[in-house]
C-alpha cells in the first residue's frame, strides 16, 4: 500500500490534495511527469500529473478535482490509509531550460500540474510570469505557492469574484503585448489550452500544453491515449503528456475524452447510492 | 487384435465443454477439463514411441510419453512432477499452446486418425495437482548468493524465474502492471485461461522464493543500470512486444476504435466486464468488427460476444488457410456465432457528428502471388467497396516493439524494427550481464516460444553465474 501522509481539502472539498509515500517514484520524478493510481482491487487506473515531489521525505503529491466515482473514492481515503497501487514516474519530463521570459498559465486543477514546472522554470533562471484562473474564488487553488514560484502572479476569475474579471487568455494577451515572451506553458481544461495556444500562435510564442487523455497502462501498450499532434497520431502516455500546443488537435481530444461519459455517470451514481445507503 | 491396433482404433477422448449457446454470453472457461477416467482412457491411447515426434515438436521438449505413462498408471503426482522438470507453467500451456502445430502435430496416431490429446492431458495433470495435489514443492539447490532481476512477468520471465530459483539463485521479477502474469493476465481472456490459474502459477514461484515486485516500470521507475547498481548479477528482459499496431487509415481516432491490447486489458486485467461492480468501463458494441485473424483477434471477438453484441465480425484480408489463430480458437469462435469476412480489407472508418464510430468501408481482396512471408499476397478487387455497419472496432493486427525500456538502455543493440538483438542459442544481448527473450526479441509469437527462449536464457544465465560471461 502507498500510504497517505497528508491530506488537504480545497475549494470547499471539491479539490483534494494527497501527499503519498512512494520513495522510488519521488526519487526519480521530474516536473511534468505523471503517476497512475488505483485505490483498491476493483479500482480504475487513474493518471494524474504530480503536483510536487519530496525525494528526501520519499513522498509525491497529487491534487485532483472530484468529478466521478474514482476521484470520489480517492477523496474518501484518510491519512494513514492509502492507494493499493501507484505507478510511475510516467511520461516525459518537461524540457526546462533558460530561455528568457516564460509565461505559465494554469486553469482549474491544471494549476497543480503547472506548479512544479513554474518552480523549475524560475530555478533555471527564467523570468516567470504566472497567470492562474478559476471559475470563481472558491475554486482557485495554490495562489500563495504560485506567487512564490514566479516573479509575478496574475489571478483571474470567470465571475470576477477575485482578481481580474475574465479569462486567463485576456491576461496572457496583455503580457505578450507588454513584454517579450520566449515561451508559454498552458495547463488546464482543454478549451483553455486550445484558446491559449491559438493566441500564442498568433504571436509566435512557443507553447507547451500538458494533456490528460484517457489511458489504461501508461506505458504505450494500449493506445487509448491517442492524440493527433501535427497531423500525426501520438500516444499521450509515452510521447507526452506535454506537446507543442500549436500542433494539438484539441477538438479530437475533447471528443475522445467523452468516450465513457455515460458509463462514468452510471458508475458514479451507483457509488453515490451505495455511499448514501451507508 | 494387437494392443497397438486397439489403441489406434480407440477414439480420442473429447474434452467436455460448455455448449456454444450458453458460453457465448458468459466468461467461464469453455473446456471444463477431463475427469480422472477420461484422462486415463486418453493416456492409454499413447503408443509410447521409442523415438517420439511429439517431444521434438515441443519448444521446451517436455517428455510427453513419460508423463502420459504416469497418467495411464494413475500416478498423477508423478505425472505433474515429471512435467515440471521441463515446463514450469503446464496449466497454462495445456490451455494455450498451439498443440496442432507442435506436439500433437507430430503424433504418430495423427497420421491416420486423431493424435493423442496431449494438451488436454497436460492440463489435466496440472489441474489435478492444483485441486488435489499435496502442494509439495520441487527440490531446490542451496543458495548461490547470486541475484537475478527478471523484467516482465509474462511466460518467458516466469520460466526464467522458475528455472533459476531452483538452481539456488535469488530472483526478483519486476512487473509494470499492478498484477503479475503479463499477457497471461492482461491478454488471454478468463474463458480461455482463468486468472486464478495464473495467480496460482505465480504463487507457486513465490512459494519457491521468487520475489515479485509489481508497479515497477523498468525504464521509468528504475533503469537496467540502476538494477545492476542495486547489486543484481544478471538481468533477463522479457517485456513482450507491447506496442499496438493500428491500420493507419482515415478515422482511426474516432470513439469506438480500440487496439486489442486496450480492449483485452480492460476486460481481462481490469475485469471491466463486471462494470459497474468494478470501476473500469469497457465499450459494449452492438455491431462489432474485429480486424485480424490471430489468437488475439479471436479473443477480442469472443469477448465482444460475451459482452452482449448482436453481431461480431472478423475482417481479415487473407483467406481461411492463412488465418494465424489456433484451430481450436477459430472453431470455438464459429460455434459462438462469430462471422468471418475473409479476403476483406478496411479502407476507412465512418463516424457521426459526435465522433463516434458508425461503420467502416471495406474492399474485397483476392489472392495473388506469394509474398515475402510465403503466403499469397492479398490484392484489392477494383470497385468492390462496401460498407459494414459497426459501433465498435477492435484492431488486432499485431504488435510492434515497445520502446519504453529499450530506448532508455543505450548500450543494448536493437534491430531495425526495434526488437532486442539476442543470441538465438543463449539469449545474450549486446549488453554485458543482460539477456532477453520472448516477443521483445522475436516479435509477437506464442506463450510456449517465449517460454522456450526463457529456458535457454536461464541455462545461459546459470552458466554465467557459475563460470562467467
Amino acid at each position: 500500500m502507498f500510504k497517505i501522509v497528508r491530506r488537504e481539502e480545497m475549494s470547499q472539498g471539491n479539490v483534494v490534495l494527497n501527499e503519498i509515500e512512494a520513495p522510488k517514484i519521488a526519487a526519480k520524478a521530474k516536473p511534468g511527469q505523471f503517476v497512475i493510481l488505483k485505490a483498491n482491487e476493483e479500482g480504475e487506473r487513474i493518471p494524474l500529473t504530480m503536483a510536487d515531489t519530496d525525494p528526501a521525505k520519499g513522498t509525491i503529491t497529487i491534487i485532483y478535482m472530484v468529478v466521478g466515482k474514482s476521484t470520489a473514492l480517492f477523496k474518501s481515503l484518510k491519512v494513514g490509509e492509502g492507494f493499493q497501487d501507484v505507478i510511475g514516474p510516467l511520461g516525459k519530463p518537461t524540457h526546462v531550460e533558460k530561455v528568457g521570459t516564460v509565461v505559465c498559465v494554469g486553469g482549474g486543477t491544471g494549476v497543480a500540474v503547472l506548479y512544479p514546472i513554474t518552480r523549475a522554470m524560475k530555478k533555471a533562471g527564467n523570468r516567470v510570469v504566472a497567470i492562474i484562473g478559476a471559475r470563481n474564488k472558491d475554486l482557485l487553488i495554490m495562489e500563495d505557492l504560485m506567487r512564490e514560484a514566479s516573479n509575478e502572479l496574475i489571478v483571474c476569475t470567470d465571475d470576477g469574484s477575485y482578481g481580474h474579471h475574465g479569462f486567463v487568455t485576456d491576461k496572457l494577451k496583455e503580457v505578450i503585448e507588454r513584454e517579450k515572451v520566449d515561451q508559454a506553458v498552458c495547463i488546464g481544461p482543454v478549451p483553455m489550452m486550445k484558446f491559449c495556444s491559438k493566441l500564442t500562435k498568433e504571436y509566435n510564442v512557443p507553447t507547451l500544453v500538458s494533456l490528460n487523455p484517457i489511458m489504461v497502462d501508461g506505458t504505450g501498450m494500449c493506445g487509448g491515449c491517442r492524440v493527433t499532434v501535427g497531423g500525426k497520431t501520438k500516444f499521450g502516455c509515452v510521447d507526452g503528456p506535454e506537446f507543442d500546443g500549436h500542433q494539438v488537435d484539441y477538438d479530437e481530444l475533447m471528443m475522445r475524452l467523452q468516450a465513457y461519459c455515460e458509463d462514468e455517470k452510471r458508475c458514479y451514481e451507483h457509488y453515490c447510492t451505495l455511499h448514501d445507503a451507508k | 487384435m494387437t494392443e497397438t491396433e486397439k489403441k489406434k482404433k480407440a477414439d480420442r477422448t473429447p474434452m467436455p465443454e460448455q455448449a456454444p449457446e450458453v458460453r457465448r454470453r458468459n466468461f467461464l472457461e469453455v473446456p471444463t477439463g477431463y475427469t480422472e477416467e477420461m484422462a486415463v482412457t486418453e493416456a492409454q491411447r499413447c503408443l509410447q514411441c521409442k523415438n517420439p515426434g511429439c517431444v521434438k515438436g515441443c519448444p521446451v521438449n517436455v517428455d510427453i510419453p513419460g508423463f502420459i505413462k504416469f497418467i495411464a498408471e494413475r500416478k498423477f503426482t508423478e505425472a505433474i512432477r515429471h512435467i515440471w522438470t521441463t515446463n514450469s507453467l503446464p496449466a497454462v500451456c495445456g490451455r494455450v499452446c498451439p498443440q496442432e502445430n507442435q506436439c500433437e502435430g507430430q503424433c504418430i496416431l495423427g497420421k491416420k486418425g486423431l493424435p493423442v490429446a496431449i494438451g488436454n492431458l497436460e492440463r489435466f495433470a496440472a489441474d489435478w495437482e492444483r485441486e488435489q495435489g499435496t502442494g509439495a514443492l520441487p527440490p531446490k539447490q542451496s543458495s548461490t548468493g547470486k541475484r537475478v532481476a527478471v523484467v516482465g512477468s509474462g511466460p518467458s520471465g516466469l520460466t526464467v524465474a522458475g528455472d533459476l530459483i531452483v538452481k539456488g539463485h535469488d530472483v526478483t521479477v519486476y512487473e509494470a502492471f499492478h498484477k503479475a502474469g503479463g499477457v497471461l493476465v492482461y491478454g488471454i481472456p478468463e474463458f480461455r485461461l482463468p486468472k486464478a490459474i495464473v495467480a496460482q502459477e505465480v504463487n507457486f514461484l513465490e512459494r519457491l522464493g521468487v520475489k515479485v515486485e509489481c508497479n515497477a516500470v523498468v525504464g521509468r521507475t528504475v533503469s537496467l543500470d540502476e538494477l545492476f547498481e542495486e547489486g543484481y548479477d544478471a538481468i533477463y528482459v522479457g517485456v513482450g512486444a507491447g506496442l499496438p499496431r493500428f491500420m493507419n487509415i482515415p478515422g482511426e481516432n474516432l470513439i469506438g476504435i480500440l487496439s486489442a491490447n486496450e480492449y483485452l486489458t480492460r476486460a481481462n486485467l481490469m475485469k471491466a466486464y463486471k462494470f459497474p461492480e468494478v470501476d473500469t468501463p469497457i465499450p459494449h458494441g452492438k455491431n462489432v468488427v474485429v480486424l485480424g485473424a490471430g489468437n488475439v483477434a479471436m479473443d477480442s471477438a469472443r469477448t465482444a460476444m460475451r459482452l452482449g453484441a448482436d453481431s461480431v465480425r472478423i475482417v481479415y484480408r487473407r483467406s481461411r488457410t492463412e488465418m494465424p489463430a489456433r484451430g481450436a480458437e477459430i472453431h470455438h469462435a464459429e460455434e459462438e456465432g462469430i462471422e468471418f469476412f475473409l479476403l476483406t480489407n478496411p479502407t476507412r472508418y465512418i463516424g457521426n457528428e459526435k465522433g463516434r464510430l458508425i461503420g467502416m468501408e471495406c474492399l474485397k481482396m483476392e489472392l495473388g502471388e506469394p509474398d515475402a512471408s510465403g503466403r499469397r499476397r492479398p490484392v484489392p478487387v477494383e470497385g468492390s467497396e462496401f460498407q459494414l455497419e459497426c459501433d465498435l472496432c477492435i484492431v488486432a493486427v499485431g504488435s510492434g516493439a515497445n520502446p519504453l525500456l529499450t530506448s532508455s538502455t543505450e548500450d543494448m543493440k536493437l534491430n531495425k524494427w526495434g526488437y532486442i538483438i539476442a543470441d538465438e542459442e543463449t539469449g545474450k544481448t549486446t549488453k554485458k550481464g543482460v539477456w532477453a527473450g520472448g516477443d521483445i526479441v522475436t516479435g509477437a509469437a506464442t506463450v510456449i516460444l517465449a517460454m522456450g527462449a526463457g529456458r535457454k536464457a536461464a541455462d545461459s544465465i546459470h552458466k554465467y553465474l557459475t563460470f562467467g560471461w
Side-chain angles (χ1 to χ4, degrees), chain A residues 24 28 69 221-222 226, chain B residues 213 226 252 259 261 279:
Chain A
K24 284 189 179 171
K28 263 294 177 73
K69 155 84 194 270
M221 208 197 79
C222 86
R226 307 199 288 289
Chain B
E213 203 169 310
E226 284 165 335
E252 199 141 45
S259 74
N261 272 359
D279 300 342

Side-chain angles (χ1 to χ4, degrees), chain B residues 62-250:
Chain B
V62 170
D63 174 17
I64 293 162
F67 91 78
I68 290 185
K69 188 157 188 281
F70 283 126
I71 295 181
E73 293 166 355
R74 294 186 164 270
K75 292 178 179 163
F76 304 134
T77 304
E78 284 82 353
I80 188 65
R81 252 142 238 286
H82 198 64
I83 299 173
W84 275 343
T85 59
T86 45
N87 183 343
S88 44
L89 303 170
V92 174
C93 290
R95 287 171 166 84
V96 306
C97 267
Q99 287 97 1
E100 72 255 37
N101 305 328
Q102 297 174 358
C103 53
E104 293 181 20
Q106 303 291 322
C107 177
I108 199 85
L109 287 185
K111 301 264 188 268
K112 280 196 174 144
L114 290 170
V116 174
I118 299 167
N120 292 351
L121 290 172
E122 183 183 32
R123 168 184 163 161
F124 167 80
D127 288 359
W128 188 89
E129 167 66 21
R130 192 176 62 254
E131 286 154 13
Q132 313 187 36
T134 58
L137 296 170
K140 188 176 151 183
Q141 286 166 30
S142 58
S143 171
T144 61
K146 301 285 186 185
R147 295 179 65 204
V148 182
V150 173
V151 184
S153 67
S156 81
L158 293 180
T159 301
V160 171
D163 281 10
L164 292 178
I165 197 80
V166 295
K167 293 204 163 86
H169 306 299
D170 182 78
V171 184
T172 304
V173 177
Y174 291 89
E175 167 55 45
F177 270 130
H178 55 269
K179 199 167 273 173
V183 73
L184 308 175
V185 165
Y186 75 75
I188 304 178
E190 181 76 16
F191 56 83
R192 202 146 78 78
L193 178 63
K195 299 311 140 211
I197 287 170
V198 182
Q200 178 102 13
E201 301 278 20
V202 173
N203 179 258
F204 173 76
L205 294 177
E206 285 179 314
R207 283 169 53 221
L208 278 168
V210 173
K211 290 179 276 272
V212 179
E213 203 169 310
C214 290
N215 297 326
V217 186
V218 176
R220 289 275 200 243
T221 317
V222 65
S223 69
L224 292 187
D225 287 327
E226 284 165 335
L227 288 176
F228 281 125
E229 283 162 27
E230 282 180 27
Y232 286 103
D233 300 290
I235 300 174
Y236 178 76
V237 177
V239 293
L243 183 75
R245 273 208 195 110
F246 287 91
M247 297 294 295
N248 293 315
I249 55 175

